[in-house]
C-alpha cells in the first residue's frame, strides 16, 4: 500500500516504512514520463554548477560550489582575451557487483561555464583558489582614470 496517491506518479517509493525512500513529486517528470538518461544526468552536472559573480571596487570575484572536487580536477582559463572559462569533471563512482545501490542523486560528468569579462578586467592577473569545495576566482580591475580637466577661459 502506497502512502502517495496514484496521480503523483507510481514506483517512486521503494519502502513505505522508510521515510528516506520518498522523492519529492515532480509534476513535469510524471506528466512527460521520459526516462532520465545518462545524457540528462551529464546535462544536469553542467546546469547544476552554481557560480556567483560579484564586483567589488578592486576586482570581479567568481565563487563556484564544487563539492567533492580536487583542484586538479578543475580548470580555470582565459579564452579569446576576455572570456573566463571554468571547467572540470565529476567522475562517477565505480560500481561493484557485490554492492546494491538504493539511490544515486549526485551528478557526474563534465561541466563548463563561460563569462565574458568587462573591459576593465586585468586578464593577465587572474588568481584562483580552492578551499572546502569552493573555487574562488579573482579578476582584478584596472583603475578608472579620471579624465584630465583643463579649464577653458571664457571671454566676452
Amino acid at each position: 500500500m502506497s502512502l502517495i496517491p496514484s496521480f503523483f506518479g507510481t514506483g517512486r517509493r521503494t519502502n513505505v516504512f522508510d521515510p528516506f525512500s520518498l522523492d519529492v513529486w515532480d509534476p513535469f517528470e510524471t506528466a512527460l514520463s521520459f526516462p532520465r538518461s545518462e545524457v540528462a544526468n551529464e546535462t544536469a552536472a553542467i546546469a547544476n554548477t552554481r557560480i556567483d559573480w560579484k564586483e567589488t571596487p578592486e576586482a570581479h570575484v567568481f565563487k563556484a560550489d564544487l563539492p567533492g572536487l580536487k583542484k586538479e580536477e578543475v580548470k580555470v582559463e582565459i579564452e579569446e582575451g576576455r572570456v573566463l572559462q571554468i571547467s572540470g569533471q565529476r567522475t562517477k563512482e565505480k560500481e561493484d557487483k557485490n554492492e546494491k545501490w538504493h539511490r544515486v542523486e549526485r551528478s557526474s560528468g563534465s561541466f563548463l561555464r563561460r563569462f565574458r569579462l568587462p573591459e576593465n578586467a586585468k586578464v593577465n592577473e587572474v588568481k584562483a583558489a580552492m578551499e572546502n569545495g569552493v573555487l574562488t576566482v579573482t579578476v582584478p580591475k584596472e583603475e578608472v582614470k579620471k579624465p584630465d580637466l583643463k579649464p577653458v577661459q571664457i571671454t566676452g
Side-chain angles (χ1 to χ4, degrees):
M1 176 174 133
S2 176
L3 299 175
I4 306 242
S6 62
F7 59 87
F8 283 118
T10 58
R12 302 283 309 228
R13 180 178 278 282
T14 56
N15 181 348
V16 293
F17 301 109
D18 180 6
F20 299 108
S21 71
L22 176 65
D23 286 340
V24 176
W25 173 60
D26 182 358
F28 299 107
E29 183 176 321
T30 55
L32 299 175
S33 13
F34 291 125
R36 195 167 164 104
S37 67
E38 281 299 314
V39 174
N41 286 338
E42 289 184 13
T43 302
I46 295 168
N48 288 334
T49 304
R50 306 284 189 210
I51 299 179
D52 297 335
W53 176 2
K54 72 176 176 180
E55 183 176 355
T56 67
E58 300 82 27
H60 295 275
V61 180
F62 297 82
K63 290 195 177 216
D65 287 340
L66 303 172
L69 290 181
K70 299 174 190 146
K71 65 180 183 177
E72 296 81 22
E73 298 171 315
V74 178
K75 286 198 311 191
V76 177
E77 302 167 307
I78 300 295
E79 179 183 86
E80 298 176 7
R82 295 213 169 274
V83 177
L84 173 67
Q85 179 172 296
I86 300 171
S87 62
Q89 182 161 354
R90 289 186 179 103
T91 55
K92 190 190 296 188
E93 280 190 45
K94 294 182 177 147
E95 295 182 23
D96 186 356
K97 292 182 181 181
N98 298 328
E99 296 174 343
K100 178 181 176 185
W101 289 84
H102 292 279
R103 183 173 308 271
V104 177
E105 294 182 344
R106 295 180 301 148
S107 59
S108 62
S110 299
F111 63 90
L112 170 69
R113 297 291 305 271
R114 288 187 177 120
F115 300 92
R116 183 164 305 282
L117 297 171
E119 293 293 323
N120 66 350
K122 291 183 179 180
V123 293
N124 295 328
E125 298 178 23
V126 176
K127 293 189 181 354
M130 184 97 146
E131 186 176 337
N132 294 329
V134 178
L135 173 70
T136 303
V137 180
T138 305
V139 183
K141 292 172 25 179
E142 293 178 1
E143 292 181 30
V144 178
K145 292 183 180 179
K146 294 183 180 179
D148 292 335
L149 296 177
K150 180 179 171 184
V152 177
Q153 188 174 18
I154 302 174
T155 60

